Amino acid sequence: MFLVQYTGLNQLPFDPANNNEPLQFGSASGPLVTEGLIENGGESSKKRKRTNAPSADSSRTLNVDSTAMTLPMSDPTAWATAMNNLGMAPLGIAGQPILPDLPPPATRERPPGCKTVFVGGLPENGTEQIIVEVFEQCGEIIAIRKSKKNFCHIRFAEEYMVDKALYLSGYRIRLGSSTDKKDTGRLHVDFAQARDDLYEWECKQRMLAREERHRRRMEEERLRPPSPPPVVHYSDHECSIVAEKLKDDSKFSEAVQTLLTWIERGEVNRRSANNFYSMIQSANSHVRRLVNEKAAHEKDMEEAKEKFKQALSGILIQFEQIVAVYHSASKQKAWDHFTKAQRKNISVWCKQAEEIRNIHNDELMGIRREEEMEMSDDEIEETTETKETEESALVSQAEALKEENDSLRWQLDAYRNEVELLKQEQGKAHREDDPNKEQQLKLLQQALQGMQQHLLKVQEEYKRKEAELEKVKDDKLQVEKMLENLKEKESCASRLCASNQDSDYPLEKTLNSSPIKSEREALLVGIISTFLHVHPFGASIEYICSYLHRLDNKICTSDVECLMSRLQHTFKQEMTGVGASLEKRWKFCGFEGLKLT
């Protein structure tokens, strides 16, 4: 025999230490309650009575008796709360069911398909039989895995049994009347994660997915349109049946489909060619019938159009009369006699009637435009056919002119009505559009300011570009002056050569002393000077030669570098960069060299 005492959730509403009357149960085999005795199976039929002294946690003796239950207590829901913790539906003293109001115990997150619970806080001397007696009332137990460390895992048959077992969490359990620590414990029940539960849950989910796929497949097959009936193979008997069907107007479509399938299959051969030709000839005989049917339908459509047009014209005439009534009522002679509400209704009705009339007028004009387009198409087609007589042409033109005159008259009336409405609403529109106009003026002012700022930026950019252009022009003039000086020097050198023709040695000395040997080199010096003056940070010899190659492809890089190295007062070479980016650059130093020389 062992005792289960609940201390974790809801407490009893009375003090057991001060109540001397015993608490009795309906039967010894009843469910576990807040403080009660759970006896073993062998002793369940005996009537026993046990009295315990009040302990430190204010527990007292509970008797198991077969007599009727008597509860001297003020709150009849206390026992219902305890029985609800066990997952059972209790009954009150008067026999009515007690509705539980109990918060669920705190647990970890529930694994999918959980059927296994973890039970901790078991007594060290607790056996598997005791565990079965406590938890078998929650449902069928499949397996129990007990550990030596006062806990076990219980696997139930269904998932809802786990929810019942969770309400046993928080109960104290005591084996017999022993107060030894090894015979007592406090139950802690929680969800446990087991491979078998997860495997069964996954199998169930796969089964549900298969059922869903099967259900969808069956639904798709049910909604799928039926396949066309199979076409029979060609034979003389089937050929005669199809030939008879081709002559019948009601069965012509089915017979033509069969004929088309036979021809595509390749059933036509030398023996069956005559039969197929006769069937094709029968199919061709339906062309005239179809053309006649089409002409009859077109005639019906034209008559329906004419009726619709006449009815629409009559409706428009009536609308014109109604609008005329509204306009005549709006004149001052009759307008002054109406009340304010009546005037408002008349103006609203007039606007509605004019809108509807305009819509129907547009519809009628669209129909006439379509007829005119069809007539123009018919005229193009009739150029290849016989022309109509002059009388019919004159009649059609007269009718067209008449219709056009009517449409123009209706449009003129509509425009007049719109002008009158605009005049009437002009005063109201000015008042209503004042805020809109102010907003539009603000937006326009902001746009003008933005455009002015953009114009100022463009003007500044234009001035900057002009200054750069002037600077480039000045540099160009300086280079031209330098070229003229070089030419003068070259002319002086040539004069010296002419005066010293007799002495070869002085001539060779003069030629060797001059760094520029020809006019071509002088031109190269001028072009390179201009190029480097535009690039104040210098340029590499490859960059300079790429620019010169645009002027002359015969220029050699080594010759250019040799020429620049000879003119030390005009060009100088510098090293720029660090490490791998080290580079040789040539710079123009003619202005500084002019001061030095």
Side-chain angles (χ1 to χ4, degrees), residues 335-347:
W335 189 256
D336 295 337
H337 299 285
F338 294 113
T339 62
K340 190 175 181 180
Q342 291 173 348
R343 293 174 185 175
K344 186 177 180 181
N345 290 334
I346 291 171
S347 60

Side-chain angles (χ1 to χ4, degrees), residues 117-290:
V117 294
F118 166 83
V119 182
L122 294 171
E124 293 184 12
N125 295 333
T127 61
E128 186 173 336
Q129 184 180 1
I130 294 174
I131 296 170
V132 170
E133 290 180 5
V134 173
F135 286 94
E136 67 180 355
Q137 57 188 334
C138 300
E140 181 183 355
I141 298 174
I142 296 177
I144 296 178
R145 294 188 294 274
K146 189 175 183 302
S147 176
K148 297 179 180 179
K149 296 183 179 181
N150 302 335
F151 70 89
C152 69
H153 289 85
I154 303 174
R155 189 163 188 260
F156 291 97
E158 299 294 338
E159 294 183 22
Y160 71 89
M161 300 175 182
V162 174
D163 299 328
K164 290 185 177 181
L166 289 177
Y167 285 101
L168 291 174
S169 182
Y171 280 85
R172 291 190 180 276
I173 184 171
R174 187 172 65 194
L175 304 179
S177 60
S178 174
T179 59
D180 191 2
K181 198 171 184 178
K182 294 183 178 181
D183 294 335
T184 61
R186 183 177 177 180
L187 297 179
H188 172 69
V189 185
D190 199 350
F191 296 114
Q193 190 170 5
R195 295 179 182 176
D196 296 340
D197 298 344
L198 183 61
Y199 176 74
E200 289 182 2
W201 181 79
E202 289 176 350
C203 292
K204 186 177 180 181
Q205 294 298 318
R206 285 195 291 269
M207 183 183 67
L208 293 175
R210 285 195 299 270
E211 291 178 356
E212 181 66 19
R213 287 196 299 270
H214 178 70
R215 187 187 63 78
R216 289 181 181 177
R217 194 180 301 113
M218 296 297 292
E219 187 69 18
E220 290 175 359
E221 290 178 358
R222 187 179 66 83
L223 298 176
R224 186 180 300 163
S227 302
V231 179
V232 296
H233 290 279
Y234 175 79
S235 65
D236 294 336
H237 177 67
E238 294 295 335
C239 179
S240 62
I241 294 174
V242 171
E244 292 296 329
K245 288 182 179 180
L246 285 171
K247 297 176 183 179
D248 190 358
D249 296 343
S250 61
K251 300 179 181 179
F252 175 73
S253 299
E254 180 184 356
V256 165
Q257 187 64 33
T258 305
L259 177 61
L260 177 63
T261 306
W262 284 349
I263 294 173
E264 290 178 351
R265 284 179 182 175
E267 301 287 349
V268 182
N269 50 33
R270 185 173 296 179
R271 186 175 62 84
S272 61
N274 294 329
N275 295 332
F276 275 99
Y277 178 77
S278 63
M279 288 189 290
I280 294 171
Q281 190 175 8
S282 300
N284 185 51
S285 64
H286 287 270
V287 173
R288 185 177 298 175
R289 175 182 63 83
L290 296 174

Side-chain angles (χ1 to χ4, degrees), residues 263-375:
I263 294 173
E264 290 178 351
R265 284 179 182 175
E267 301 287 349
V268 182
N269 50 33
R270 185 173 296 179
R271 186 175 62 84
S272 61
N274 294 329
N275 295 332
F276 275 99
Y277 178 77
S278 63
M279 288 189 290
I280 294 171
Q281 190 175 8
S282 300
N284 185 51
S285 64
H286 287 270
V287 173
R288 185 177 298 175
R289 175 182 63 83
L290 296 174
V291 170
N292 294 332
E293 288 181 1
K294 178 177 177 292
H297 289 306
E298 286 179 351
K299 186 177 179 181
D300 294 339
M301 185 178 67
E302 291 295 332
E303 292 177 356
K305 280 185 178 180
E306 189 65 28
K307 290 180 181 178
F308 174 72
K309 188 170 67 174
Q310 291 176 0
L312 192 58
S313 299
I315 291 170
L316 283 174
I317 292 170
Q318 293 178 12
F319 269 115
E320 290 291 341
Q321 294 173 353
I322 294 171
V323 171
V325 170
Y326 290 143
H327 285 309
S328 62
S330 299
K331 292 180 181 179
Q332 190 173 4
K333 185 177 180 181
W335 189 256
D336 295 337
H337 299 285
F338 294 113
T339 62
K340 190 175 181 180
Q342 291 173 348
R343 293 174 185 175
K344 186 177 180 181
N345 290 334
I346 291 171
S347 60
V348 170
W349 295 340
C350 183
K351 289 180 182 179
Q352 292 177 354
E354 287 177 350
E355 290 177 358
I356 297 171
R357 181 199 60 187
N358 293 333
I359 292 170
H360 288 296
N361 193 11
D362 294 339
E363 187 175 357
L364 182 60
M365 293 301 296
I367 295 171
R368 288 174 179 171
R369 281 194 294 269
E370 290 178 358
E371 290 179 353
E372 289 175 359
M373 293 175 65
E374 290 177 358
M375 288 174 65

Side-chain angles (χ1 to χ4, degrees), residues 39-172:
E39 300 179 358
N40 293 329
E43 299 175 357
S44 60
S45 60
K46 299 179 182 180
K47 296 182 181 179
R48 312 186 71 180
K49 185 174 182 181
R50 181 176 178 82
T51 303
N52 293 334
S55 59
D57 54 355
S58 302
S59 61
R60 65 168 295 157
T61 304
L62 302 177
N63 297 330
V64 179
D65 199 353
S66 59
T67 59
M69 182 174 64
T70 60
L71 283 174
M73 52 187 293
S74 60
D75 188 2
T77 62
W79 292 107
T81 302
M83 295 177 72
N84 180 63
N85 291 337
L86 297 175
M88 303 175 182
L91 294 176
I93 299 174
Q96 295 88 0
I98 300 174
L99 298 177
D101 185 8
L102 186 66
T107 59
R108 57 177 285 186
E109 184 179 359
R110 181 168 188 157
C114 179
K115 296 181 182 178
T116 305
V117 294
F118 166 83
V119 182
L122 294 171
E124 293 184 12
N125 295 333
T127 61
E128 186 173 336
Q129 184 180 1
I130 294 174
I131 296 170
V132 170
E133 290 180 5
V134 173
F135 286 94
E136 67 180 355
Q137 57 188 334
C138 300
E140 181 183 355
I141 298 174
I142 296 177
I144 296 178
R145 294 188 294 274
K146 189 175 183 302
S147 176
K148 297 179 180 179
K149 296 183 179 181
N150 302 335
F151 70 89
C152 69
H153 289 85
I154 303 174
R155 189 163 188 260
F156 291 97
E158 299 294 338
E159 294 183 22
Y160 71 89
M161 300 175 182
V162 174
D163 299 328
K164 290 185 177 181
L166 289 177
Y167 285 101
L168 291 174
S169 182
Y171 280 85
R172 291 190 180 276

